[in-house]
Amino acid sequence: MKEILLVLFIFSIVLTAMVNRLRTYVKLLAFQGLVLFALSFIELDEITPANLAWISIETLLFKSVAVPWFLFHLINRNKITREAEPFLPHFASLIITVLIIAASYALTTLINDLNADRISFVTALSTLFFGLYFICSRRKILSHLIGYIIIENAVFILTLSIGNEMPLLVNLGVLLDIFASVLLMGFFAGKIGDVFKTDDISSITSLRD
């Protein structure tokens, strides 16, 4: 079951590389949140009300509901109806994504004393590298924010691969970090839309003191 969920998560990454609309990106983020909830539930050694409440808040409530709702709010507020305008064609992005997954797998095989779960580690590395590539290959500021959230999901999977127990303090720090980042970048994206009437990163080059 765990392997199926990880394959579904990687499939969502590949699909993210193929589509070009911000609303579709947000829907895929919500789907990733559901997958992370299922993975967290499987990895729990002891199912208690406290553990179940924590992973529900962090994955279902925050990643699958709050963050997508906030991103949809930014999209509607800035009246973004155009496509995401990537720097590279979608076919090239798909090839690069497949190469990222293959390179992550090859890198994992070179680590002989890997204590983490190997499949989870491959998924985490693939998601991390894809998030960096996604930020570098997209024009819109909201796309960069989505790429950052993808990287945060990679960190979450990595914490799961290190051990069976949920690292509460690590996840709490990551949760606070992504919450603050979403608020700050959302505010920034909103101001860019108000001043420049666009959310393209090229508009930032015209800023002056």
Side-chain angles (χ1 to χ4, degrees), residues 134-187:
F134 188 84
I135 292 175
C136 295
S137 63
R138 297 300 189 272
R139 298 177 184 272
K140 294 186 180 299
I141 297 173
L142 285 179
S143 297
H144 292 189
L145 176 57
I146 292 172
Y148 182 86
I149 297 174
I150 291 175
I151 293 175
E152 194 275 331
N153 289 340
V155 175
F156 186 89
I157 296 177
L158 187 60
T159 61
L160 291 180
S161 66
I162 293 176
N164 291 328
E165 296 183 0
M166 290 289 292
L168 181 59
L169 294 179
V170 174
N171 285 329
L172 181 60
V174 171
L175 181 62
L176 293 176
D177 177 64
I178 188 63
F179 183 71
S181 300
V182 168
L183 288 181
L184 290 176
M185 293 192 67
F187 175 80

Side-chain angles (χ1 to χ4, degrees), residues 8-198:
L8 288 176
F9 193 93
I10 292 179
F11 177 76
S12 70
I13 295 299
V14 176
L15 191 59
T16 302
M18 297 172 58
V19 300
N20 56 6
R21 293 187 178 276
L22 287 173
R23 292 184 179 274
T24 306
Y25 294 153
V26 177
K27 293 177 182 178
L28 288 173
L29 284 180
F31 173 77
Q32 290 180 6
L34 295 175
V35 175
L36 291 178
F37 169 76
L39 286 172
S40 302
F41 185 81
I42 293 175
E43 289 295 304
L44 282 177
D45 284 340
E46 182 181 358
I47 300 178
T48 64
N51 291 336
L52 188 59
W54 169 249
I55 65 173
S56 299
I57 291 174
E58 187 175 6
T59 55
L60 287 181
L61 181 60
F62 188 77
K63 296 179 181 295
S64 297
V65 178
V67 170
W69 176 86
F70 183 70
L71 293 176
F72 277 130
H73 172 72
L74 290 178
I75 292 173
N76 295 330
R77 184 178 186 275
N78 291 278
K79 299 179 180 180
I80 304 174
T81 58
R82 295 176 301 169
E83 296 179 348
E85 302 175 3
F87 288 110
L88 297 176
H90 300 298
F91 180 75
S93 294
L94 177 60
I95 296 299
I96 293 175
T97 303
V98 173
L99 292 177
I100 288 175
I101 297 173
S104 299
Y105 177 80
L107 180 62
T108 305
T109 57
L110 296 177
I111 305 177
N112 296 324
D113 57 345
L114 182 63
N115 295 324
D117 179 74
R118 193 172 296 275
I119 300 179
S120 299
F121 199 72
V122 171
T123 304
L125 285 182
S126 301
T127 306
L128 174 63
F129 293 143
F130 174 79
L132 295 174
Y133 162 73
F134 188 84
I135 292 175
C136 295
S137 63
R138 297 300 189 272
R139 298 177 184 272
K140 294 186 180 299
I141 297 173
L142 285 179
S143 297
H144 292 189
L145 176 57
I146 292 172
Y148 182 86
I149 297 174
I150 291 175
I151 293 175
E152 194 275 331
N153 289 340
V155 175
F156 186 89
I157 296 177
L158 187 60
T159 61
L160 291 180
S161 66
I162 293 176
N164 291 328
E165 296 183 0
M166 290 289 292
L168 181 59
L169 294 179
V170 174
N171 285 329
L172 181 60
V174 171
L175 181 62
L176 293 176
D177 177 64
I178 188 63
F179 183 71
S181 300
V182 168
L183 288 181
L184 290 176
M185 293 192 67
F187 175 80
F188 178 70
K191 290 301 179 182
I192 288 292
D194 291 340
V195 175
F196 296 98
K197 307 305 179 184
T198 180

